[in-house]
């Protein structure tokens, strides 16, 4: 009887987990919204500017996050190949540089789009707000765990 209860609870848990995942808002979407709100407190944009800039902001942030995930996968692949003793440093270096170039191209395109929408002084303040957000995020980040294990 006890085993049947455990099995029923297990299957109940399995059936509820996908529903919970669908109802949860992804963590990165929350981060983009938080960053956007913080930036708006530091940069005075008109309602029209907000409506035009926010989609560009979200698009840029999502693209940067995608590159960041690729960078993480590259590092994980490196760690796997390091454990196997077969490291292709040429390929690793090329991947690293190509990701950096792609991120720089994203920033350039982001800048060109924003430049069309915002006055130079407003754009400067916008970039300052982005830098301040990143700086605060890094400053408030908890220290890394001790890796001596």
């Amino acid at each position: 009887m006890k085993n049947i209860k455990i099995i029923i609870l297990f299957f109940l848990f399995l059936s509820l987990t996908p529903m919970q995942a669908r109802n949860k808002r992804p963590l990165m979407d929350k981060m983009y919204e938080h960053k956007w709100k913080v930036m708006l407190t530091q940069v005075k944009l008109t309602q029209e500017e907000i409506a035009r800039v926010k989609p560009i902001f979200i698009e840029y942030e999502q693209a940067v996050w995608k590159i960041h995930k690729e960078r993480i996968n590259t590092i994980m692949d490196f760690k796997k190949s390091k454990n196997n003793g077969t490291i292709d440093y040429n390929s690793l270096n090329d991947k690293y540089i190509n990701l950096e170039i792609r991120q720089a191209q994203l920033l350039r395109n982001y800048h060109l789009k924003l430049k069309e929408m915002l006055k130079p002084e407003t754009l400067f303040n916008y970039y300052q707000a982005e830098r301040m957000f990143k700086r605060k995020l890094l400053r408030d980040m908890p220290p890394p765990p001790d890796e001596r294990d």
Side-chain angles (χ1 to χ4, degrees):
M1 185 68 173
K2 186 177 179 181
N3 288 341
I4 293 174
K5 286 181 183 178
I6 291 173
I7 291 171
I8 291 172
L9 284 173
F10 177 74
F11 282 111
L12 180 64
F13 174 75
L14 285 179
S15 67
L16 291 177
T17 302
M19 286 188 279
Q20 290 174 349
R22 270 186 259 127
N23 292 332
K24 284 187 181 179
R25 199 164 157 205
L27 179 62
M28 289 314 298
D29 286 345
K30 288 181 182 180
M31 176 62 82
Y32 304 148
E33 283 301 318
H34 174 68
K35 182 178 178 180
W36 180 250
K37 287 177 184 175
V38 169
M39 288 178 56
L40 286 182
T41 64
Q42 298 174 19
V43 181
K44 303 305 176 215
L45 298 177
T46 66
Q47 289 302 314
E48 181 184 331
E49 289 171 331
I50 290 171
R52 292 177 62 197
V53 170
K54 186 176 180 180
I56 304 301
F57 166 81
I58 297 294
E59 176 186 344
Y60 173 72
E61 291 292 327
Q62 289 173 340
V64 168
W65 181 247
K66 183 179 176 187
I67 289 174
H68 179 69
K69 288 193 306 190
E70 288 180 51
R71 191 173 286 124
I72 289 171
N73 290 336
T74 300
I75 291 169
M76 289 171 55
D77 291 345
F78 165 72
K79 288 182 178 182
K80 287 178 190 173
S81 63
K82 187 176 179 183
N83 291 338
N84 295 337
T86 57
I87 302 171
D88 182 359
Y89 284 105
N90 284 326
S91 175
L92 186 63
N93 293 333
D94 289 344
K95 284 181 184 178
Y96 173 77
I97 293 302
N98 287 333
L99 289 171
E100 291 294 318
I101 290 169
R102 283 181 41 214
Q103 189 163 345
Q105 289 168 336
L106 283 174
L107 180 60
R108 175 76 174 150
N109 292 337
Y110 182 53
H111 170 70
L112 293 174
K113 290 175 184 177
L114 292 175
K115 189 176 176 179
E116 292 177 7
M117 298 178 201
L118 301 174
K119 296 177 206 163
E121 182 179 356
T122 305
L123 183 56
F124 177 80
N125 292 334
Y126 181 88
Y127 290 148
Q128 285 289 98
E130 279 193 319
R131 282 189 290 274
M132 294 302 293
F133 180 84
K134 289 176 188 175
R135 192 174 299 146
K136 183 175 179 353
L137 191 65
L138 288 172
R139 189 176 44 229
D140 295 346
M141 188 184 313
D146 190 5
E147 294 185 17
R148 285 182 274 167
D149 298 333

